[in-house]
Amino acid sequence: MSENYLILKGDICYTPSPEKMVCMEDGYLVCENGICKYVTKELPGKLLDFPISDYSGKLIMPGLIDLHVHAPQYSFRGLGMDMELLEWLNCRTFPEERNYQDETYAKRAYEIFAEDLRRGPNTRACVFGTLHVAGTLILMDELEKSGICAFVGKVNMDRNSPDFLREQSADESLANTKEWLRQVKKKEYHSVKPMLTPRFIPSCTDALMEGLKQIQAEWRLPVQSHLSENQGEISWVKELSPQSAFYGDAYDRFGLFGGDVPTVMAHCVWSEEEEQKRMKERGIYIAHCPQSNENLASGIAPVRAYLEQGMHVGLGSDVAGGAHMSIFRAMADAVQMSKIRWRLVDQSQKPLTVPEVFYLGTKGGGSFFGKVGSFESGYELDAVIIDDSIYRHPQKLSVEERAERLIYLHDGSTVLHKFVAGKQLF
Ligand code: GUN
Ligand code: FE
C-alpha cells in the first residue's frame, strides 16, 4: 500500500457543478500522492492505520482561485475608489506602478503581497506585475517562496501612458519580454509560470501585438488581459482599432484571443452578442471581478448568461480595482451584484446562487490550472482548513449554512492550514 496517503478529517464542502454544493459533516478526504481520491463518511479498513490530519469541527474547502489580480496595486487598495477606470489608472495606478522600477521598493511591496496571499484562502492566481523586468522577477521569486501556484505576467505597454510608465517602442517592449522570459527559464521555478500580459488594447500598438504573438507561439505562453470593462474604454478601443468588429476582435486580429492559446480576459462587463460568441468559440476564460466593477462603476457583467452558454467563468479580485484579495469576498460580491442586475437591469436573468459563486471561485477558475478546485477523484489537492467558530452562533448550523456564512463573513484571518498542489504550506 502506498505510503503517500494523506487523510483530512473535518466538515467538507465543495462544488462539483454550479448547481450542487456537496457538504459532509465529519467526513474524510482521502488523497494519494497529492491527488484527491474520494470523500467518505467511513474510512475503509485498509486506511485505518494511516495517520489522519484531524480537523474535526473545522471547514475543509478547496483553495480559492483568483483569476485576475495586480500584485503592484496591493499597496494602494482602498484608495481612489471614487473614480472611474481611466481616471483611476492615470491618477492612482500608473504613478504607483512606476515605483516598481526601484527594486528595493518592489521587494518590500511584493513581500507583503506574497505573504498576505499565502496566509489567505486563495491557492492559485493569475497575476499582473508591472512593465519592469527586474521587478516582475522579484514578484515571481516571492510567489515561488510563498508556495502559491501562479501565472505571472510582465506587463506590456508602449502607448497611451505617461513617459514614466511606458516602454518607448514596440521593439523595446518585445526585447524586455524576451529578456524576462530568458531569466525566468534560468530560475527553474516550480510553482510559478510566465504568462503573456498585454495590459489592454489602449496600451499596446499593433507592432507590439504582432511581436507578442510571435513570442506567444515560440514560448507557448498563456495570455491574460482586460476586455470590455468600461464604456469609455470601449469607445476608445473603437477609435484606436476601427477595423475591429468589437473589442475582443482587436486581440483576435493578432491571434491573442484563445483558441489554442489559453486566455484569461478580465471583466467582460459589456461584451455584446458577437463578442460573447467569439469568446465561447475560443474557450476564453472570463475573470468576473464584481468588486472592482462596483468600485470603478464599470457595470455588472451578465454572469448568468455566460454560465448558461457553458462559457468558462471564474472570479477575480482585480486588486486594486477590488480592495480585497480574498475570493470569499468576490463570491459575496458576485451574488450581490447579480441581485442588483436582476432588480435594475434584466429581470429575466435570475441572481447567482451561493453554490454557483462557490463553484466560480473554486472549480470554475481552477480549471484554468488543470484539475483544480474540487475534491473529486483526480483533482490536485488544493485545500484550506478554516475555523469558523469565531463567527459565534446560538445554535448548531449545517455545514452548508456555515459555508454560506463564511462567504459573507470571512475577513481573511481564519485560515488555519493550507494545501497547494498536494503540499502543505502551513
Ligand atoms: N485596464 C487596464 N489596466 C487596468 C488595471 O490596472 N486595472 C483594471 N481594473 N483595468 C485595467
Ligand atoms: Fe485588472
Side-chain angles (χ1 to χ4, degrees):
M1 200 189 297
S2 167
E3 293 300 310
N4 293 322
Y5 273 100
L6 182 63
I7 304 168
L8 312 184
K9 179 176 189 218
D11 300 329
I12 296 169
C13 186
Y14 64 105
T15 39
S17 75
E19 293 81 39
K20 189 169 157 201
M21 187 181 269
V22 174
C23 292
M24 190 184 286
E25 191 168 359
D26 278 329
Y28 298 89
L29 169 60
V30 178
C31 306
E32 189 182 9
N33 296 321
I35 303 293
C36 300
K37 302 284 283 181
Y38 51 87
V39 170
T40 177
K41 194 78 183 153
E42 300 279 343
L43 266 192
K46 63 171 188 168
L47 292 183
L48 288 176
D49 291 338
F50 277 86
I52 292 173
S53 301
D54 190 349
Y55 306 126
S56 294
K58 313 288 188 288
L59 289 165
I60 303 179
M61 297 172 155
L64 310 187
I65 312 297
D66 190 346
L67 274 190
H68 183 71
V69 56
H70 297 259
Q73 298 177 15
Y74 193 63
S75 50
F76 72 95
R77 65 201 193 286
L79 297 174
M81 302 275 73
D82 48 358
M83 300 175 198
E84 276 195 61
L85 174 68
L86 299 176
E87 184 191 9
W88 173 80
L89 286 174
N90 283 317
C91 296
R92 280 286 174 188
T93 310
F94 294 160
E96 173 59 12
E97 289 195 12
R98 170 193 205 172
N99 292 330
Y100 291 76
Q101 192 179 332
D102 173 352
E103 292 174 35
T104 310
Y105 185 88
K107 174 108 169 90
R108 214 162 57 223
Y110 286 147
E111 267 173 7
I112 297 170
F113 170 77
E115 182 55 25
D116 286 2
L117 182 55
R118 175 184 157 84
R119 285 273 147 212
N122 305 353
T123 50
R124 310 211 182 204
C126 292
V127 185
F128 278 53
T130 60
L131 58 75
H132 310 102
V133 172
T136 305
L137 289 165
I138 292 168
L139 169 61
M140 295 174 90
D141 289 347
E142 292 303 319
L143 286 170
E144 175 83 358
K145 272 193 261 168
S146 78
I148 295 291
C149 282
F151 285 108
V152 180
K154 177 211 118 39
V155 172
N156 295 97
M157 44 197 301
D158 72 339
R159 68 174 175 185
N160 291 320
S161 53
D163 269 349
F164 63 72
L165 193 76
R166 191 179 69 245
E167 293 162 307
Q168 298 307 309
S169 65
D171 283 347
E172 183 187 311
S173 182
L174 295 167
N176 288 347
T177 305
K178 288 178 192 162
E179 174 56 19
W180 167 62
L181 290 168
R182 280 192 290 268
Q183 300 271 353
V184 168
K185 196 169 172 194
K186 272 199 251 162
K187 297 260 192 183
E188 297 184 355
Y189 293 119
H190 175 69
S191 54
V192 176
K193 295 188 171 63
M195 187 171 200
L196 216 55
T197 306
R199 182 169 208 123
F200 66 159
I201 291 293
S203 295
C204 301
T205 60
D206 285 4
L208 175 54
M209 294 295 275
E210 274 166 23
L212 287 178
K213 176 62 199 178
Q214 284 173 16
I215 295 177
Q216 186 283 320
E218 186 186 337
W219 291 77
R220 307 211 138 272
L221 297 171
V223 171
Q224 60 183 347
S225 194
H226 296 91
L227 180 66
S228 297
E229 176 176 4
N230 163 290
Q231 287 176 319
E233 169 213 22
I234 294 167
S235 311
W236 195 15
V237 170
K238 277 204 182 103
E239 283 168 32
L240 290 167
S241 187
Q243 61 280 64
S244 300
F246 46 86
Y247 192 160
D249 193 39
Y251 294 104
D252 208 13
R253 283 175 55 221
F254 299 101
L256 295 171
F257 201 64
D260 58 1
V261 183
T263 301
V264 177
M265 285 287 162
H267 305 298
C268 310
V269 170
W270 297 103
S271 299
E272 305 273 6
E273 205 176 310
E274 235 188 324
E275 183 163 272
Q276 291 187 22
K277 192 161 160 273
R278 188 84 58 90
M279 286 156 64
K280 182 171 159 59
E281 271 168 27
R282 300 299 165 83
I284 296 289
Y285 272 76
I286 299 159
H288 174 46
C289 306
Q291 196 186 122
S292 167
N293 298 157
E294 183 181 8
N295 286 335
L296 299 175
S298 300
I300 309 177
V303 178
R304 164 137 340 271
Y306 294 153
L307 283 175
E308 279 173 357
Q309 292 176 69
M311 296 164 82
H312 299 297
V313 191
L315 296 176
S317 65
D318 193 29
V319 159
H324 296 87
M325 193 142 66
S326 164
I327 291 298
F328 282 130
R329 176 64 192 253
M331 292 177 185
D333 289 327
V335 173
Q336 291 173 339
M337 291 287 271
S338 73
K339 290 174 88 170
I340 296 175
R341 191 176 197 283
W342 167 70
R343 176 67 69 201
L344 300 180
V345 182
D346 180 357
Q347 296 197 357
S348 74
Q349 294 283 306
K350 287 257 182 309
L352 297 172
T353 64
V354 166
E356 282 171 339
V357 296
F358 195 87
Y359 174 88
L360 294 179
T362 53
K363 191 174 172 179
S367 66
F368 189 75
F369 293 81
K371 286 191 119 179
V372 171
S374 181
F375 293 148
E376 292 156 86
S377 176
Y379 275 70
E380 290 184 55
L381 174 64
D382 273 33
V384 285
I385 318 301
I386 294 184
D387 179 4
D388 63 326
S389 64
I390 61 163
Y391 310 118
R392 295 179 347 152
H393 199 280
Q395 68 186 44
K396 186 172 158 62
L397 297 174
S398 69
V399 176
E400 193 156 3
E401 286 168 329
R402 285 165 56 200
E404 185 168 347
R405 250 164 52 104
L406 188 69
I407 289 172
Y408 278 83
L409 302 183
H410 187 261
D411 59 3
S413 62
T414 55
V415 178
L416 291 181
H417 304 284
K418 189 165 180 175
F419 296 82
V420 183
K423 206 176 112 207
Q424 183 162 12
L425 299 195
F426 55 87

